[in-house]
Amino acid sequence: MKFFLDTADIGEIEEAASWGVLAGVTTNPTLYAKIGGKLSDFHAHIKRICEICDGPVSAETVSLDRAGIVREGEELAAIAPNVVVKVPVMPEGLAATKTLSERGIAVNMTLCFTVPQALMAARAGARYVSPFVGRFDDISEDGLEHLGNIVAALRNYVFEHDVEVIAASIRHNQHVVAAALMGADIATVPFAVLQKLVKHPLTDRGLEAFLADWERVKNA
Ligand code: G3P
């Protein structure tokens, strides 16, 4: 499983990239608003992210009609070769995804919650499909069960192009572990989750013991 960072924060992206584990970045309007992003800076901001991370960088469209989504998608794709256009699952989004993918532009279909939505996204030409896990948990449904169903359903079929599942709306380590075990291709995680993924109390305790013993070696 590959790790993407679900953020628009440049500092977080730089730090994760320096660890050598960052395979891509996903952004959305909420994440851009969270860092105080301005409309006039949006394209420059995505360009900066693409310079830090040479993997796929998802930038989301906000139009609701197919022509608008295609126009926005083409503008976003022109920012850098690794931009992936993020499009919500909806009829106009599917139509725009078909057009964009036929024009050689990679699309990540987002706000995906069900198996039929995921299958339609893949059929329309989406290169990535993003099932949301945590938002199901928020409404007391099992987000991981839905993710597992989507991974299993997509695996049953051969598409004309590669389709990768991005487990999104990840809230904690167990989401990531389960996503990996069920074979999700990618987990896009907030930086706070990425930081927790590298930690374990036994690692800390082991390191403490190694360092204490090395002090004994030095003083022997
Ligand atoms: O990038 C989309 C998704 O990961 C959003 O997550 O936490 O807003 O449900 P969340």
Side-chain angles (χ1 to χ4, degrees), residues 145-194:
E145 188 183 341
H146 287 283
L147 174 66
N149 289 342
I150 288 171
V151 170
L154 288 175
R155 200 180 283 142
N156 284 338
Y157 304 101
V158 175
F159 299 95
E160 287 161 9
H161 57 288
D162 284 346
V163 180
E164 288 185 275
V165 171
I166 303 178
S169 185
I170 295 290
R171 301 283 157 73
H172 49 72
N173 292 18
Q174 277 314 306
H175 279 161
V176 178
V177 172
L181 291 174
M182 61 182 63
D185 304 284
I186 297 153
T188 190
V189 302
F191 187 62
V193 172
L194 194 76

